[in-house]
Amino acid sequence: MSRAALWRQEANVKERQRQAEETFRLAIDEGRSAPARGQLRLHGPDDSFNLNPMLLHNISVSPYFQKCYNKLKDWNALVDEIYYEVKHMEPWTPGAVKTPSTAFCLLVRLFTLRCTEKQMSLMLDHIDSPYIRCVGFLYLRYAVDPNIVWSWMEPYLYDEEPVQIAANPAKPEITVGEYVRQLLTEMDYYGTLLPRLPVQIERDIKVSLLQAEQIEDRAKSNLRDPSKMDHFRRVGSSARALYGDEENPVTWYDCVVDRVLTHDDATGEPLARPKFVVTFPEYGNTETVSVGEIDLRLPPAVQVEEEAEDEVDMMVIMMAGVGREADIIAAVAESATTAEVKGAGGIMTIEIGDGDAPLVATATTGNMVGAVKMIVGGVTALTEMRCLGTTNAADPEAAIVMEGGRGTCWKKFAVVTVRLLRRKAEITLGALLL
């Protein structure tokens, strides 16, 4: 090739680069001028969208993104393009040298078009393609205020629609719910990184995920029990349901079933699982709960024991360490029972026997969000754990108990108090969080 031809080739490459950069700049400006009414506001830079710089650069100069900018001028056209073109959710095209995937090119185009709250709701509930839904979840995870990410994603944690996330078709499909949980708990995303969630939001989400897991397990258990479901479906039946608000933690309250929902009130579509409109007589408020948030009312004997708060039924778990790397160093069962702590990795199994002498047992874990599983007389009981106090002193005697507070392990030590009800088959799940 002659020198002149090489110059022309280099000039053409530079011109294509200049055109690509100009197209991306126009796309950014288009988003900035989009109507703000009803818009799901972006969090962070509105020209990088919290994406990895190399990934964003490769998207901005890719021929497919240039095509998307020129062809897709509104939300409807973009959703149609997702339906026809997206086959996986990885950021890179397999076998190509750092060529961005169609999914991520379309995600960036959606960033530049902006998305309203109504459009996001339509994407997450779209029935034509799981990829339309998954692009919506990625939009939320990358570019929306972390304070509202959980409220958007929580209804889909156990969505059972299958989807091929991996670029390699030989890899198995997962469910949309599994994909959502991965986005909430993992930063590594197929060769790139998701933006880091603020520490407190990350911890709150992990606790909420543990609670959601138990609600899902209870839902499956209820659905397998025809007698339970018949009881819940009878209007006027007594039951108990989970309820909490900004000032009160989620816990069980006695309730009365007012109505059974089998269809969505807004769309008329049949629900995969029934929901229940219940009234809590103690407070008079009415709420809608899922099949995993309702259960049979406890026997009177257990309710009396629950109200008594006898110290015999207290268990104290002491924590030591710093931040998320603290260790569970002791579990103390007070009076009349023995306790054995088994396992590690954030999940303890404490087995309560019939002995008369208290036992101090030890275990370690590197995960500060841990579920505690209690086995009482052979019956599994999941217990609510709440961090009641902290201190920055290494001396356990200096522990400070704060009524109803959530503790932060500043340096060395914290105390979590757990109430064990030995005749109760299941207690609300919580988590130890320092």
PDB file of all heavy atoms in Angstrom, residues 315-320 385-391 395-402 405-409 412-418 432-434:
ATOM      1  N   MET A 315     -30.986 -15.428  74.786  1.00  0.00           N
ATOM      2  CA  MET A 315     -29.683 -15.905  74.353  1.00  0.00           C
ATOM      3  C   MET A 315     -28.877 -14.690  73.915  1.00  0.00           C
ATOM      4  O   MET A 315     -29.392 -13.813  73.232  1.00  0.00           O
ATOM      5  CB  MET A 315     -29.814 -16.884  73.197  1.00  0.00           C
ATOM      6  CG  MET A 315     -28.483 -17.397  72.682  1.00  0.00           C
ATOM      7  SD  MET A 315     -28.699 -18.755  71.553  1.00  0.00           S
ATOM      8  CE  MET A 315     -29.308 -19.996  72.671  1.00  0.00           C
ATOM      9  N   VAL A 316     -27.645 -14.606  74.344  1.00  0.00           N
ATOM     10  CA  VAL A 316     -26.798 -13.470  74.001  1.00  0.00           C
ATOM     11  C   VAL A 316     -25.687 -13.955  73.088  1.00  0.00           C
ATOM     12  O   VAL A 316     -25.011 -14.938  73.386  1.00  0.00           O
ATOM     13  CB  VAL A 316     -26.196 -12.817  75.260  1.00  0.00           C
ATOM     14  CG1 VAL A 316     -25.272 -11.672  74.865  1.00  0.00           C
ATOM     15  CG2 VAL A 316     -27.313 -12.317  76.160  1.00  0.00           C
ATOM     16  N   ILE A 317     -25.509 -13.274  71.969  1.00  0.00           N
ATOM     17  CA  ILE A 317     -24.401 -13.579  71.064  1.00  0.00           C
ATOM     18  C   ILE A 317     -23.481 -12.377  71.050  1.00  0.00           C
ATOM     19  O   ILE A 317     -23.907 -11.263  70.770  1.00  0.00           O
ATOM     20  CB  ILE A 317     -24.914 -13.893  69.651  1.00  0.00           C
ATOM     21  CG1 ILE A 317     -25.735 -15.171  69.687  1.00  0.00           C
ATOM     22  CG2 ILE A 317     -23.747 -14.030  68.690  1.00  0.00           C
ATOM     23  CD1 ILE A 317     -26.304 -15.554  68.374  1.00  0.00           C
ATOM     24  N   MET A 318     -22.226 -12.594  71.406  1.00  0.00           N
ATOM     25  CA  MET A 318     -21.259 -11.498  71.466  1.00  0.00           C
ATOM     26  C   MET A 318     -20.442 -11.473  70.182  1.00  0.00           C
ATOM     27  O   MET A 318     -20.026 -12.512  69.687  1.00  0.00           O
ATOM     28  CB  MET A 318     -20.349 -11.675  72.682  1.00  0.00           C
ATOM     29  CG  MET A 318     -21.075 -11.451  74.009  1.00  0.00           C
ATOM     30  SD  MET A 318     -20.039 -11.769  75.436  1.00  0.00           S
ATOM     31  CE  MET A 318     -19.967 -13.555  75.404  1.00  0.00           C
ATOM     32  N   MET A 319     -20.220 -10.287  69.674  1.00  0.00           N
ATOM     33  CA  MET A 319     -19.499 -10.103  68.428  1.00  0.00           C
ATOM     34  C   MET A 319     -18.200  -9.365  68.706  1.00  0.00           C
ATOM     35  O   MET A 319     -18.165  -8.448  69.518  1.00  0.00           O
ATOM     36  CB  MET A 319     -20.331  -9.260  67.451  1.00  0.00           C
ATOM     37  CG  MET A 319     -21.772  -9.684  67.334  1.00  0.00           C
ATOM     38  SD  MET A 319     -21.920 -11.307  66.592  1.00  0.00           S
ATOM     39  CE  MET A 319     -21.146 -10.991  65.027  1.00  0.00           C
ATOM     40  N   ALA A 320     -17.145  -9.724  68.013  1.00  0.00           N
ATOM     41  CA  ALA A 320     -15.890  -8.975  68.145  1.00  0.00           C
ATOM     42  C   ALA A 320     -15.240  -8.857  66.784  1.00  0.00           C
ATOM     43  O   ALA A 320     -15.344  -9.751  65.959  1.00  0.00           O
ATOM     44  CB  ALA A 320     -14.952  -9.681  69.111  1.00  0.00           C
ATOM     45  N   MET A 385     -32.997 -11.457  65.132  1.00  0.00           N
ATOM     46  CA  MET A 385     -31.831 -10.961  65.862  1.00  0.00           C
ATOM     47  C   MET A 385     -31.732  -9.465  65.646  1.00  0.00           C
ATOM     48  O   MET A 385     -31.859  -8.980  64.546  1.00  0.00           O
ATOM     49  CB  MET A 385     -30.559 -11.642  65.352  1.00  0.00           C
ATOM     50  CG  MET A 385     -30.566 -13.134  65.551  1.00  0.00           C
ATOM     51  SD  MET A 385     -28.999 -13.829  65.070  1.00  0.00           S
ATOM     52  CE  MET A 385     -27.906 -13.014  66.199  1.00  0.00           C
ATOM     53  N   ARG A 386     -31.467  -8.741  66.695  1.00  0.00           N
ATOM     54  CA  ARG A 386     -31.390  -7.289  66.581  1.00  0.00           C
ATOM     55  C   ARG A 386     -30.193  -6.805  67.397  1.00  0.00           C
ATOM     56  O   ARG A 386     -30.053  -7.159  68.554  1.00  0.00           O
ATOM     57  CB  ARG A 386     -32.675  -6.664  67.100  1.00  0.00           C
ATOM     58  CG  ARG A 386     -32.834  -5.215  66.704  1.00  0.00           C
ATOM     59  CD  ARG A 386     -34.263  -4.812  66.937  1.00  0.00           C
ATOM     60  NE  ARG A 386     -35.174  -5.609  66.153  1.00  0.00           N
ATOM     61  CZ  ARG A 386     -35.392  -5.446  64.857  1.00  0.00           C
ATOM     62  NH1 ARG A 386     -34.760  -4.514  64.215  1.00  0.00           N
ATOM     63  NH2 ARG A 386     -36.240  -6.208  64.213  1.00  0.00           N
ATOM     64  N   CYS A 387     -29.341  -6.050  66.781  1.00  0.00           N
ATOM     65  CA  CYS A 387     -28.174  -5.544  67.492  1.00  0.00           C
ATOM     66  C   CYS A 387     -28.622  -4.451  68.456  1.00  0.00           C
ATOM     67  O   CYS A 387     -29.130  -3.422  68.040  1.00  0.00           O
ATOM     68  CB  CYS A 387     -27.150  -4.985  66.522  1.00  0.00           C
ATOM     69  SG  CYS A 387     -25.614  -4.522  67.311  1.00  0.00           S
ATOM     70  N   LEU A 388     -28.466  -4.696  69.751  1.00  0.00           N
ATOM     71  CA  LEU A 388     -28.981  -3.781  70.754  1.00  0.00           C
ATOM     72  C   LEU A 388     -27.926  -2.836  71.311  1.00  0.00           C
ATOM     73  O   LEU A 388     -28.250  -1.974  72.101  1.00  0.00           O
ATOM     74  CB  LEU A 388     -29.598  -4.568  71.914  1.00  0.00           C
ATOM     75  CG  LEU A 388     -30.817  -5.421  71.556  1.00  0.00           C
ATOM     76  CD1 LEU A 388     -31.354  -6.091  72.783  1.00  0.00           C
ATOM     77  CD2 LEU A 388     -31.883  -4.577  70.896  1.00  0.00           C
ATOM     78  N   GLY A 389     -26.697  -2.967  70.939  1.00  0.00           N
ATOM     79  CA  GLY A 389     -25.736  -2.027  71.510  1.00  0.00           C
ATOM     80  C   GLY A 389     -24.337  -2.229  71.007  1.00  0.00           C
ATOM     81  O   GLY A 389     -24.001  -3.278  70.475  1.00  0.00           O
ATOM     82  N   THR A 390     -23.519  -1.218  71.169  1.00  0.00           N
ATOM     83  CA  THR A 390     -22.125  -1.296  70.741  1.00  0.00           C
ATOM     84  C   THR A 390     -21.235  -0.573  71.727  1.00  0.00           C
ATOM     85  O   THR A 390     -21.681   0.208  72.556  1.00  0.00           O
ATOM     86  CB  THR A 390     -21.932  -0.626  69.371  1.00  0.00           C
ATOM     87  OG1 THR A 390     -22.231   0.768  69.518  1.00  0.00           O
ATOM     88  CG2 THR A 390     -22.822  -1.221  68.324  1.00  0.00           C
ATOM     89  N   THR A 391     -19.977  -0.853  71.613  1.00  0.00           N
ATOM     90  CA  THR A 391     -18.984  -0.091  72.372  1.00  0.00           C
ATOM     91  C   THR A 391     -17.684  -0.123  71.600  1.00  0.00           C
ATOM     92  O   THR A 391     -17.437  -1.031  70.815  1.00  0.00           O
ATOM     93  CB  THR A 391     -18.775  -0.686  73.771  1.00  0.00           C
ATOM     94  OG1 THR A 391     -17.756   0.076  74.422  1.00  0.00           O
ATOM     95  CG2 THR A 391     -18.345  -2.138  73.709  1.00  0.00           C
ATOM     96  N   ASP A 395     -13.296  -4.557  76.235  1.00  0.00           N
ATOM     97  CA  ASP A 395     -13.805  -5.240  77.416  1.00  0.00           C
ATOM     98  C   ASP A 395     -15.294  -5.513  77.276  1.00  0.00           C
ATOM     99  O   ASP A 395     -16.094  -4.584  77.179  1.00  0.00           O
ATOM    100  CB  ASP A 395     -13.559  -4.358  78.657  1.00  0.00           C
ATOM    101  CG  ASP A 395     -14.040  -5.025  79.933  1.00  0.00           C
ATOM    102  OD1 ASP A 395     -14.439  -6.215  79.877  1.00  0.00           O
ATOM    103  OD2 ASP A 395     -14.007  -4.360  80.980  1.00  0.00           O
ATOM    104  N   PRO A 396     -15.722  -6.809  77.257  1.00  0.00           N
ATOM    105  CA  PRO A 396     -17.155  -7.124  77.133  1.00  0.00           C
ATOM    106  C   PRO A 396     -17.992  -6.477  78.225  1.00  0.00           C
ATOM    107  O   PRO A 396     -19.162  -6.158  78.004  1.00  0.00           O
ATOM    108  CB  PRO A 396     -17.188  -8.646  77.230  1.00  0.00           C
ATOM    109  CG  PRO A 396     -15.828  -9.076  76.807  1.00  0.00           C
ATOM    110  CD  PRO A 396     -14.893  -8.015  77.289  1.00  0.00           C
ATOM    111  N   GLU A 397     -17.416  -6.258  79.400  1.00  0.00           N
ATOM    112  CA  GLU A 397     -18.186  -5.663  80.489  1.00  0.00           C
ATOM    113  C   GLU A 397     -18.580  -4.216  80.175  1.00  0.00           C
ATOM    114  O   GLU A 397     -19.464  -3.650  80.806  1.00  0.00           O
ATOM    115  CB  GLU A 397     -17.372  -5.703  81.792  1.00  0.00           C
ATOM    116  CG  GLU A 397     -17.041  -7.123  82.255  1.00  0.00           C
ATOM    117  CD  GLU A 397     -18.288  -7.939  82.535  1.00  0.00           C
ATOM    118  OE1 GLU A 397     -19.265  -7.352  83.039  1.00  0.00           O
ATOM    119  OE2 GLU A 397     -18.289  -9.141  82.236  1.00  0.00           O
ATOM    120  N   ALA A 398     -17.897  -3.602  79.213  1.00  0.00           N
ATOM    121  CA  ALA A 398     -18.179  -2.205  78.882  1.00  0.00           C
ATOM    122  C   ALA A 398     -19.236  -2.060  77.804  1.00  0.00           C
ATOM    123  O   ALA A 398     -19.471  -0.983  77.317  1.00  0.00           O
ATOM    124  CB  ALA A 398     -16.890  -1.514  78.430  1.00  0.00           C
ATOM    125  N   ALA A 399     -19.867  -3.178  77.416  1.00  0.00           N
ATOM    126  CA  ALA A 399     -20.878  -3.127  76.355  1.00  0.00           C
ATOM    127  C   ALA A 399     -22.039  -2.226  76.745  1.00  0.00           C
ATOM    128  O   ALA A 399     -22.485  -2.219  77.873  1.00  0.00           O
ATOM    129  CB  ALA A 399     -21.400  -4.536  76.075  1.00  0.00           C
ATOM    130  N   ILE A 400     -22.501  -1.429  75.819  1.00  0.00           N
ATOM    131  CA  ILE A 400     -23.617  -0.518  76.054  1.00  0.00           C
ATOM    132  C   ILE A 400     -24.843  -1.071  75.338  1.00  0.00           C
ATOM    133  O   ILE A 400     -24.799  -1.357  74.143  1.00  0.00           O
ATOM    134  CB  ILE A 400     -23.287   0.881  75.517  1.00  0.00           C
ATOM    135  CG1 ILE A 400     -22.004   1.404  76.156  1.00  0.00           C
ATOM    136  CG2 ILE A 400     -24.442   1.851  75.751  1.00  0.00           C
ATOM    137  CD1 ILE A 400     -21.476   2.657  75.492  1.00  0.00           C
ATOM    138  N   VAL A 401     -25.933  -1.221  76.045  1.00  0.00           N
ATOM    139  CA  VAL A 401     -27.167  -1.717  75.443  1.00  0.00           C
ATOM    140  C   VAL A 401     -28.054  -0.527  75.101  1.00  0.00           C
ATOM    141  O   VAL A 401     -28.377   0.289  75.963  1.00  0.00           O
ATOM    142  CB  VAL A 401     -27.913  -2.679  76.385  1.00  0.00           C
ATOM    143  CG1 VAL A 401     -29.249  -3.070  75.782  1.00  0.00           C
ATOM    144  CG2 VAL A 401     -27.062  -3.911  76.636  1.00  0.00           C
ATOM    145  N   MET A 402     -28.450  -0.417  73.838  1.00  0.00           N
ATOM    146  CA  MET A 402     -29.333   0.656  73.383  1.00  0.00           C
ATOM    147  C   MET A 402     -30.664   0.040  72.980  1.00  0.00           C
ATOM    148  O   MET A 402     -30.717  -0.781  72.077  1.00  0.00           O
ATOM    149  CB  MET A 402     -28.717   1.397  72.200  1.00  0.00           C
ATOM    150  CG  MET A 402     -27.394   2.066  72.533  1.00  0.00           C
ATOM    151  SD  MET A 402     -26.752   3.014  71.148  1.00  0.00           S
ATOM    152  CE  MET A 402     -26.550   1.714  69.929  1.00  0.00           C
ATOM    153  N   GLY A 405     -32.035  -0.265  69.178  1.00  0.00           N
ATOM    154  CA  GLY A 405     -31.175   0.385  68.202  1.00  0.00           C
ATOM    155  C   GLY A 405     -30.439  -0.610  67.331  1.00  0.00           C
ATOM    156  O   GLY A 405     -30.314  -1.773  67.674  1.00  0.00           O
ATOM    157  N   ARG A 406     -29.953  -0.148  66.208  1.00  0.00           N
ATOM    158  CA  ARG A 406     -29.100  -0.976  65.367  1.00  0.00           C
ATOM    159  C   ARG A 406     -27.675  -0.545  65.612  1.00  0.00           C
ATOM    160  O   ARG A 406     -27.342   0.625  65.485  1.00  0.00           O
ATOM    161  CB  ARG A 406     -29.455  -0.793  63.892  1.00  0.00           C
ATOM    162  CG  ARG A 406     -28.471  -1.522  62.967  1.00  0.00           C
ATOM    163  CD  ARG A 406     -28.850  -1.360  61.528  1.00  0.00           C
ATOM    164  NE  ARG A 406     -30.043  -2.113  61.226  1.00  0.00           N
ATOM    165  CZ  ARG A 406     -30.793  -1.904  60.164  1.00  0.00           C
ATOM    166  NH1 ARG A 406     -30.479  -0.978  59.318  1.00  0.00           N
ATOM    167  NH2 ARG A 406     -31.877  -2.627  59.958  1.00  0.00           N
ATOM    168  N   GLY A 407     -26.807  -1.476  65.952  1.00  0.00           N
ATOM    169  CA  GLY A 407     -25.452  -1.118  66.346  1.00  0.00           C
ATOM    170  C   GLY A 407     -24.494  -1.090  65.179  1.00  0.00           C
ATOM    171  O   GLY A 407     -24.729  -1.678  64.141  1.00  0.00           O
ATOM    172  N   THR A 408     -23.417  -0.413  65.357  1.00  0.00           N
ATOM    173  CA  THR A 408     -22.316  -0.404  64.416  1.00  0.00           C
ATOM    174  C   THR A 408     -21.064  -0.807  65.173  1.00  0.00           C
ATOM    175  O   THR A 408     -20.758  -0.240  66.210  1.00  0.00           O
ATOM    176  CB  THR A 408     -22.116   0.985  63.801  1.00  0.00           C
ATOM    177  OG1 THR A 408     -23.316   1.357  63.133  1.00  0.00           O
ATOM    178  CG2 THR A 408     -20.976   0.971  62.791  1.00  0.00           C
ATOM    179  N   CYS A 409     -20.351  -1.793  64.668  1.00  0.00           N
ATOM    180  CA  CYS A 409     -19.166  -2.263  65.367  1.00  0.00           C
ATOM    181  C   CYS A 409     -18.026  -1.286  65.085  1.00  0.00           C
ATOM    182  O   CYS A 409     -17.355  -1.371  64.078  1.00  0.00           O
ATOM    183  CB  CYS A 409     -18.780  -3.663  64.891  1.00  0.00           C
ATOM    184  SG  CYS A 409     -17.492  -4.417  65.873  1.00  0.00           S
ATOM    185  N   LYS A 412     -14.201  -3.015  68.477  1.00  0.00           N
ATOM    186  CA  LYS A 412     -13.910  -4.345  68.981  1.00  0.00           C
ATOM    187  C   LYS A 412     -15.120  -5.187  69.344  1.00  0.00           C
ATOM    188  O   LYS A 412     -15.063  -6.402  69.252  1.00  0.00           O
ATOM    189  CB  LYS A 412     -13.011  -4.239  70.215  1.00  0.00           C
ATOM    190  CG  LYS A 412     -11.602  -3.768  69.919  1.00  0.00           C
ATOM    191  CD  LYS A 412     -10.814  -4.822  69.181  1.00  0.00           C
ATOM    192  CE  LYS A 412      -9.372  -4.417  68.988  1.00  0.00           C
ATOM    193  NZ  LYS A 412      -8.609  -5.417  68.251  1.00  0.00           N
ATOM    194  N   PHE A 413     -16.193  -4.608  69.800  1.00  0.00           N
ATOM    195  CA  PHE A 413     -17.165  -5.438  70.489  1.00  0.00           C
ATOM    196  C   PHE A 413     -18.589  -4.953  70.278  1.00  0.00           C
ATOM    197  O   PHE A 413     -18.846  -3.771  70.162  1.00  0.00           O
ATOM    198  CB  PHE A 413     -16.852  -5.437  71.994  1.00  0.00           C
ATOM    199  CG  PHE A 413     -17.735  -6.335  72.798  1.00  0.00           C
ATOM    200  CD1 PHE A 413     -17.463  -7.681  72.892  1.00  0.00           C
ATOM    201  CD2 PHE A 413     -18.851  -5.838  73.445  1.00  0.00           C
ATOM    202  CE1 PHE A 413     -18.269  -8.510  73.630  1.00  0.00           C
ATOM    203  CE2 PHE A 413     -19.670  -6.675  74.173  1.00  0.00           C
ATOM    204  CZ  PHE A 413     -19.380  -8.010  74.275  1.00  0.00           C
ATOM    205  N   ALA A 414     -19.488  -5.873  70.200  1.00  0.00           N
ATOM    206  CA  ALA A 414     -20.907  -5.528  70.140  1.00  0.00           C
ATOM    207  C   ALA A 414     -21.715  -6.684  70.688  1.00  0.00           C
ATOM    208  O   ALA A 414     -21.235  -7.811  70.786  1.00  0.00           O
ATOM    209  CB  ALA A 414     -21.333  -5.235  68.712  1.00  0.00           C
ATOM    210  N   VAL A 415     -22.936  -6.421  71.101  1.00  0.00           N
ATOM    211  CA  VAL A 415     -23.783  -7.440  71.701  1.00  0.00           C
ATOM    212  C   VAL A 415     -25.079  -7.547  70.916  1.00  0.00           C
ATOM    213  O   VAL A 415     -25.694  -6.554  70.582  1.00  0.00           O
ATOM    214  CB  VAL A 415     -24.116  -7.094  73.166  1.00  0.00           C
ATOM    215  CG1 VAL A 415     -25.088  -8.112  73.751  1.00  0.00           C
ATOM    216  CG2 VAL A 415     -22.840  -7.055  73.990  1.00  0.00           C
ATOM    217  N   VAL A 416     -25.466  -8.746  70.628  1.00  0.00           N
ATOM    218  CA  VAL A 416     -26.757  -9.000  69.989  1.00  0.00           C
ATOM    219  C   VAL A 416     -27.565  -9.876  70.931  1.00  0.00           C
ATOM    220  O   VAL A 416     -27.089 -10.921  71.368  1.00  0.00           O
ATOM    221  CB  VAL A 416     -26.595  -9.711  68.632  1.00  0.00           C
ATOM    222  CG1 VAL A 416     -27.954  -9.996  68.016  1.00  0.00           C
ATOM    223  CG2 VAL A 416     -25.756  -8.870  67.699  1.00  0.00           C
ATOM    224  N   THR A 417     -28.762  -9.454  71.279  1.00  0.00           N
ATOM    225  CA  THR A 417     -29.605 -10.236  72.173  1.00  0.00           C
ATOM    226  C   THR A 417     -30.706 -10.911  71.369  1.00  0.00           C
ATOM    227  O   THR A 417     -31.376 -10.284  70.568  1.00  0.00           O
ATOM    228  CB  THR A 417     -30.240  -9.341  73.255  1.00  0.00           C
ATOM    229  OG1 THR A 417     -29.192  -8.705  73.978  1.00  0.00           O
ATOM    230  CG2 THR A 417     -31.076 -10.167  74.213  1.00  0.00           C
ATOM    231  N   VAL A 418     -30.881 -12.185  71.602  1.00  0.00           N
ATOM    232  CA  VAL A 418     -31.868 -12.975  70.882  1.00  0.00           C
ATOM    233  C   VAL A 418     -32.823 -13.598  71.881  1.00  0.00           C
ATOM    234  O   VAL A 418     -32.377 -14.185  72.871  1.00  0.00           O
ATOM    235  CB  VAL A 418     -31.182 -14.113  70.094  1.00  0.00           C
ATOM    236  CG1 VAL A 418     -32.207 -14.921  69.328  1.00  0.00           C
ATOM    237  CG2 VAL A 418     -30.132 -13.553  69.175  1.00  0.00           C
ATOM    238  N   LEU A 432     -27.862 -10.533  61.969  1.00  0.00           N
ATOM    239  CA  LEU A 432     -26.946  -9.795  62.820  1.00  0.00           C
ATOM    240  C   LEU A 432     -26.112  -8.914  61.906  1.00  0.00           C
ATOM    241  O   LEU A 432     -25.571  -9.352  60.924  1.00  0.00           O
ATOM    242  CB  LEU A 432     -26.073 -10.731  63.663  1.00  0.00           C
ATOM    243  CG  LEU A 432     -25.498 -11.989  63.033  1.00  0.00           C
ATOM    244  CD1 LEU A 432     -24.033 -11.773  62.740  1.00  0.00           C
ATOM    245  CD2 LEU A 432     -25.701 -13.122  63.976  1.00  0.00           C
ATOM    246  N   LEU A 433     -26.115  -7.647  62.195  1.00  0.00           N
ATOM    247  CA  LEU A 433     -25.530  -6.680  61.296  1.00  0.00           C
ATOM    248  C   LEU A 433     -24.710  -5.673  62.075  1.00  0.00           C
ATOM    249  O   LEU A 433     -25.244  -4.916  62.860  1.00  0.00           O
ATOM    250  CB  LEU A 433     -26.651  -5.945  60.551  1.00  0.00           C
ATOM    251  CG  LEU A 433     -26.216  -4.857  59.583  1.00  0.00           C
ATOM    252  CD1 LEU A 433     -25.378  -5.459  58.480  1.00  0.00           C
ATOM    253  CD2 LEU A 433     -27.420  -4.149  59.016  1.00  0.00           C
ATOM    254  N   LEU A 434     -23.427  -5.683  61.902  1.00  0.00           N
ATOM    255  CA  LEU A 434     -22.549  -4.765  62.611  1.00  0.00           C
ATOM    256  C   LEU A 434     -21.851  -3.857  61.626  1.00  0.00           C
ATOM    257  O   LEU A 434     -21.442  -4.285  60.589  1.00  0.00           O
ATOM    258  CB  LEU A 434     -21.523  -5.546  63.419  1.00  0.00           C
ATOM    259  CG  LEU A 434     -22.102  -6.495  64.481  1.00  0.00           C
ATOM    260  CD1 LEU A 434     -20.985  -7.164  65.211  1.00  0.00           C
ATOM    261  CD2 LEU A 434     -22.991  -5.748  65.446  1.00  0.00           C
TER     262      LEU A 434
END
